């Protein structure tokens, strides 16, 4: 259950909003607590139930921009009108300790990491169909109509980038997708 991944210690998980990245990553962390998930910074407002420092570090735009200027982010990007970034120091500290690190980030950030960490394993999560993606975003019930529209528009772009990734995983049945994710990350005893 807790053998460490054999394929690269930095893993980047990307995929359109609502595809199930958060759900899959939560399942993975539950099964493999040795994995370390980076907590991003964002300028968007917290959703109900989201906790500062746990789901995100919620920053004002000036504070976020100050961190950008200071080189504090490993990567950062604008998504649906808000800024998102990966704090650099904790990721570097975890990697230095030999711990496998997960980043759950959007496409532009994944592209930046590809340049700075070419050895990272990059995975794209896809929905079984665009209609199902829209159902999931709406079903989650966390976003305004405007936010949903922006996320769906961005999803169309992200889904055209498939060829850039080391692997593509379709999140249709959740349990099957979770098992496939474990195998892709090198948890060999997952079958
Ligand atoms: N580049 C980048 N993208 C991020 C980061 N953190 C989260 N994201 C992405 O930002 C997008 C929006 O995230 P969020 O507002 O939580 O919405 P959700 O994906 O619909 O749950 C998603 O594609 C996340 O993967 C980050 O640190 N950097
Ligand atoms: N395989 C799946 N089948 C059906 N619903 C799913 C599946 N995976 C995730 N979901 C649901 O889809 C919604 C969006 O999932 P979430 O993990 O928040 O997506 P993301 O982090 O990619 O934005 C949630 O309501 C979640 O419970």
């Amino acid at each position: 259950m807790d053998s460490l991944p054999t394929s690269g210690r930095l893993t980047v998980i990307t995929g359109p909003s609502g595809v199930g990245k958060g759900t899959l990553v939560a399942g993975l962390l539950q099964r493999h607590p040795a994995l370390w998930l980076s907590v991003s910074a964002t300028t968007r407002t917290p959703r109900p139930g989201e906790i500062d420092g746990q789901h995100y570090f919620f920053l004002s735009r000036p504070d976020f921009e100050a961190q950008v200027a200071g080189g504090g982010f490993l990567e950062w990007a604008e998504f649906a009108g808000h800024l998102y970034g990966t704090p650099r120091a904790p990721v570097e500290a975890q990697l230095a300790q030999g711990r496998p690190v997960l980043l759950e980030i959007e496409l532009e950030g994944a592209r930046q990491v590809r340049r700075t960490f070419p050895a990272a394993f990059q995975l794209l999560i896809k929905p079984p169909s665009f209609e199902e993606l829209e159902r999931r975003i709406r079903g989650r019930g966390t976003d305004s109509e405007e936010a949903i529209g922006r996320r769906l528009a961005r999803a169309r772009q992200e889904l055209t980038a498939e060829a850039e990734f080391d692997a593509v995983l379709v999140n249709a049945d959740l349990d099957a997708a979770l098992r496939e994710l474990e195998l892709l990350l090198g948890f060999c005893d997952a079958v």
Side-chain angles (χ1 to χ4, degrees):
M1 200 67 167
D2 253 324
S3 59
L4 294 181
T6 50
S7 55
R9 283 211 312 275
L10 181 62
T11 299
V12 176
I13 295 185
T14 301
S17 186
V19 75
K21 300 179 300 297
T23 307
L24 285 167
V25 165
L28 194 65
L29 291 173
Q30 205 175 11
R31 292 180 186 204
H32 305 286
L35 279 169
W36 185 80
L37 174 67
S38 164
V39 178
S40 297
T42 184
T43 62
R44 85 152 160 74
T45 49
R47 292 173 178 149
E50 283 185 331
I51 298 166
D52 188 37
Q54 186 176 324
H55 297 92
Y56 281 105
F57 296 104
F58 295 99
L59 300 185
S60 66
R61 198 170 258 260
D63 285 352
F64 191 103
E65 284 167 350
Q67 293 233 25
V68 170
F73 292 125
L74 197 70
E75 60 71 37
W76 68 276
E78 181 146 9
F79 182 98
H82 301 289
L83 305 178
Y84 293 81
T86 303
R88 180 189 299 279
V91 170
E92 289 181 348
Q94 295 294 332
L95 288 173
Q97 286 171 29
R99 203 159 170 201
V101 169
L102 281 184
L103 305 184
E104 192 249 276
I105 61 177
E106 53 68 65
L107 181 61
E108 291 308 322
R111 287 175 170 156
Q112 291 171 44
V113 175
R114 202 168 294 139
R115 290 194 288 274
T116 47
F117 286 87
F121 181 67
Q122 295 232 352
L123 174 64
L124 180 70
I125 314 274
K126 285 192 1 170
S129 68
F130 202 81
E131 291 67 34
E132 172 63 11
L133 181 69
E134 182 163 356
R135 255 193 303 280
R136 286 184 194 172
I137 296 183
R138 291 187 182 284
R140 189 168 65 183
T142 53
D143 303 285
S144 66
E145 199 54 38
E146 193 214 352
I148 290 172
R150 286 178 177 217
R151 280 168 164 69
L152 288 174
R154 184 71 172 239
R156 291 199 184 275
Q157 287 174 359
E158 296 200 320
L159 290 171
T160 62
E162 195 172 325
E164 296 176 24
F165 287 82
D166 297 313
V168 175
L169 168 60
V170 178
N171 180 20
D173 175 75
L174 185 58
D175 286 338
L178 192 50
R179 277 198 302 280
E180 200 180 329
L181 181 59
E182 287 183 287
L183 289 174
L184 283 167
L185 295 195
F187 293 103
C188 302
D189 53 355
V191 276

